[in-house]
Amino acid sequence: MAIVEWSDDFKLGEAEIDREHWGLFALINDLSDKHAQGAGDASITSTIDALAAYVDVHFEHEERLMRSVGYPELDSHIELHVALARRVEEYKAAFERQAARFDFNEFTAFLTEWLTDHILHEDMQFAKYHHRH
């Protein structure tokens, strides 16, 4: 069951970035599904690892695009990316320390809220800038 649904509301009009955003939604849903289905720790760790790696790759692509068009809010946008990557790593470490006590609902709610808010506000602001220039 999807806990975060992709829709056209999240499209920025940049094919690579939109595909990657969709991929992040898919990984969050996969993590939620694995937990709900009682998947083993190794399977869940694999998905968390994939999510952390995908976040890094996506942020690199997004920041490269922003840099290429001279986006004036790049530095503050990078700070938001760094903060999320750090939180994902903290959750990942918490799961590795005590999988039985890991709060999946908190983690997936945090990811869902952060991602949707970030795309709809921060990334849309960039998309408007990019399409004007």
Side-chain angles (χ1 to χ4, degrees), residues 19-29 51 54-55 58 115:
R19 274 191 307 276
E20 290 175 357
H21 284 161
W22 179 90
L24 289 168
F25 278 54
L27 283 166
I28 293 167
N29 287 325
L51 177 65
Y54 201 83
V55 161
H58 167 65
L115 184 60

Side-chain angles (χ1 to χ4, degrees), residues 8-23:
D8 286 348
D9 293 341
F10 295 106
K11 286 187 176 180
L12 302 182
E14 292 293 328
E16 178 183 34
I17 302 301
D18 289 337
R19 274 191 307 276
E20 290 175 357
H21 284 161
W22 179 90

Side-chain angles (χ1 to χ4, degrees), residues 6 14-17 36 40 46 48 57-58 62-63 67-68 73 86 90-91 96 98 105 114 117 120 127-128 133:
W6 177 260
E14 292 293 328
E16 178 183 34
I17 302 301
S46 175
I48 293 173
V57 168
H58 167 65
E62 196 173 275
E63 291 164 12
R67 196 171 285 109
S68 75
E73 300 300 320
R86 186 177 306 122
E90 289 168 1
Y91 278 110
E96 290 168 354
Q98 289 190 306
N105 293 332
W114 192 95
D117 183 66
L120 292 174
K128 288 176 187 172
H133 294 87

Side-chain angles (χ1 to χ4, degrees), residues 69-121:
V69 299
Y71 185 52
E73 300 300 320
L74 175 62
D75 290 341
S76 62
H77 204 97
I78 289 173
E79 288 176 16
L80 296 171
H81 287 173
V82 168
L84 175 70
R86 186 177 306 122
R87 287 288 303 273
V88 169
E89 288 298 325
E90 289 168 1
Y91 278 110
K92 179 180 163 186
F95 180 78
E96 290 168 354
R97 276 192 312 274
Q98 289 190 306
R101 293 187 162 190
F102 188 76
D103 190 337
F104 281 94
N105 293 332
E106 176 187 313
F107 184 42
T108 55
F110 164 74
L111 289 171
T112 299
E113 183 178 326
W114 192 95
L115 184 60
T116 58
D117 183 66
H118 184 79
I119 293 170
L120 292 174
H121 297 99

